[in-house]
Amino acid sequence: MGETPGVSPELVEAVRVRLSRAAAPPTAAQVAAALRAERAVLGDAEVLAVARTLRAHLIGAGPLEGLLAEPGVTDVLVNGPREVWVDDGHGLRRTGVSFRADDDVRRLAQRLAAAAGRRLDDACPYVDARLAGGVRLHAVLPPIAPEGTCLSLRLPSRRTFTIEELVPGDGARVLHAIMAARVAFLVTGGTGTGKTTLLSAMLSRADHAERLLLVEDSAELQPRHPHVVRLEARPPNLEGAGEVGLRDLVRQALRMRPDRLVVGEVRGSEVVDLLAALNTGHEGGCGTLHANTAADVPARLEALACAAGLSREAVHSQIAAALDVVVHLVRAPGGGPRRVAEVCLLDRAPSGLVAAVPALTFTPGGRAAPGLAFGSLRSRCPEIPCLA
């Protein structure tokens, strides 16, 4: 536990233990009563400081609370008790925050997991969950993590950006045209490239008469739109029962009259139901997918769908009929700026296999260069400006 100015760590720990035994919330009044019981005489400022510290350590993120509140921070990463890193949009940066021992990191991880209704102990040494407020939690305990407990916290976007804020010039007009044409598309890229942020911005441009059905493992999409319905997956309880997966939710969403079906992150067997849904007249469907390059997208979809039981031929037939466009994002080495790298058209070759054919590529400065499929893309999205 970190030190509170003017208050000894021993006194803070004694008050924490007393409040824990009494199951009392760390309000200023409860802290004052606990301090009196410890025969400590402190002023109002010290009492409030102790209350803030205890609130962080009993119901918050402990020493990480201040990092989570910093503007621009998207990730807080703990590699054992001595290493705490943050990503604030300019790459990873090591902080001066530390824990006294690995047991402190372990207790914090277990408390956060319990708050999300998940189990984290020697029998189940890792957890992936969503906390109140949308923070994504991932934790791994020793001996799986031999250097100490690893804790990863990913913060949701604090606001919804516009397309123009994220993509300069012609790129923004292209994305507007994709939304207006109601083609089915995927936003792809590696971890941390801003897929969810860009998809939220694009969905904000959907016609306000449309009904958006968002299916997500963890609610992260934040479109600025008047008619949004959310379905969120539910993990199994401590007994291993009660799980509701994305595949179940995609099926339910189809019965809820969606104008646009959105899967926040396609990463498993739900790809089969999504492709089937987009082949039954549901235009404008979209989602995000992890992929190193746009050219890898058909292979990624094939791997996921084949693992769910489809044959290779059936997968490519479904992809060709269901999806039109891939918007691929990259991030500069070292955690630099995120940007749209290319827009590709999914086209079926005579062999029957689908390939991602470049329609537009973008320089780091945002300048667009037409590719082989640019004419075909414009025929599907007439509002795309002529860039030739």
Side-chain angles (χ1 to χ4, degrees):
M1 179 179 294
E3 296 187 8
T4 303
V7 182
S8 70
E10 293 75 16
L11 177 58
V12 174
E13 179 66 15
V15 173
R16 185 193 69 80
V17 171
R18 184 176 291 275
L19 289 176
S20 298
R21 290 172 178 170
T27 63
Q30 294 288 354
V31 170
L35 287 169
R36 284 194 296 272
E38 293 293 330
R39 299 182 179 180
V41 180
L42 298 173
D44 292 342
E46 287 84 358
V47 170
L48 291 174
V50 175
R52 283 193 297 269
T53 299
L54 289 170
R55 178 173 292 274
H57 284 267
L58 292 178
I59 63 175
L64 308 180
E65 195 77 16
L67 300 177
L68 294 174
E70 287 186 12
V73 169
T74 60
D75 296 87
V76 177
L77 310 172
V78 181
N79 307 336
R82 303 302 175 197
E83 287 190 35
V84 179
W85 299 72
V86 297
D87 186 342
D88 55 6
H90 302 285
L92 290 172
R93 168 174 58 85
R94 188 169 180 174
T95 72
V97 175
S98 64
F99 293 79
R100 289 187 303 177
D102 190 64
D103 284 345
D104 294 332
V105 188
R106 181 187 180 103
R107 280 195 295 269
L108 173 60
Q110 289 177 318
R111 180 167 54 75
L112 293 175
R118 303 298 298 274
R119 175 181 177 180
L120 181 64
D121 52 31
D122 290 339
C124 185
Y126 52 84
V127 68
D128 186 13
R130 186 174 73 91
L131 305 177
V135 175
R136 283 286 297 270
L137 161 72
H138 186 270
V140 185
L141 301 179
I144 305 301
E147 301 300 324
T149 301
C150 292
L151 181 63
S152 304
L153 298 172
R154 168 160 287 187
L155 282 72
S157 178
R158 291 177 169 85
R159 69 183 183 92
T160 301
F161 294 88
T162 65
I163 292 178
E164 287 77 11
E165 288 179 294
L166 300 173
V167 184
D170 291 331
R173 291 193 288 273
V174 170
L175 299 186
H176 283 304
I178 289 173
M179 291 300 297
R182 292 180 53 79
V183 296
F185 66 94
L186 291 176
V187 178
T188 65
T191 300
T193 52
K195 298 183 296 296
T196 299
T197 301
L198 181 62
L199 183 56
S200 291
M202 293 180 70
L203 290 173
S204 298
R205 293 291 302 182
D207 192 303
H208 285 190
E210 295 178 356
R211 174 176 166 92
L212 310 185
L213 255 295
L214 311 185
V215 177
E216 298 181 84
D217 185 56
S218 177
E220 295 179 321
L221 289 168
Q222 298 178 336
R224 194 175 299 150
H225 191 278
H227 197 161
V228 175
V229 180
R230 300 178 182 275
L231 298 179
E232 185 176 2
R234 184 177 70 187
N237 59 22
L238 296 179
E239 287 74 37
E243 180 179 10
V244 180
L246 286 182
R247 192 164 189 180
D248 301 313
L249 295 182
V250 170
R251 294 173 182 172
Q252 299 311 309
L254 292 175
R255 299 180 175 91
M256 299 172 67
R257 197 225 170 266
D259 287 307
R260 288 185 188 262
L261 176 61
V262 183
V263 178
E265 183 179 340
V266 181
R267 61 179 181 180
S269 60
E270 68 276 1
V271 68
V272 174
D273 297 282
L274 176 63
L275 292 175
L278 299 181
N279 274 311
T280 56
H282 290 83
E283 297 179 344
C286 54
T288 69
L289 177 76
H290 282 269
N292 292 328
T293 67
D296 293 336
V297 169
R300 283 279 293 133
L301 293 172
E302 177 186 315
L304 294 175
C306 286
L310 288 185
S311 67
R312 189 185 192 196
E313 294 76 12
V315 172
H316 283 267
S317 294
Q318 293 272 33
I319 295 172
L323 290 167
D324 299 294
V325 174
V326 171
V327 179
H328 188 71
L329 305 178
V330 296
R331 190 173 188 182
R338 307 165 176 90
R339 64 181 181 87
V340 175
E342 57 184 329
V343 175
C344 294
L345 204 63
L346 292 173
D347 188 41
R348 194 173 191 181
S351 65
L353 301 182
V354 172
V357 184
L360 285 167
T361 57
F362 296 88
T363 67
R367 296 186 62 183
L372 292 175
F374 180 65
S376 298
L377 180 63
R378 285 199 72 205
S379 68
R380 300 191 193 191
C381 307
E383 294 186 17
I384 290 179
C386 181
L387 304 175

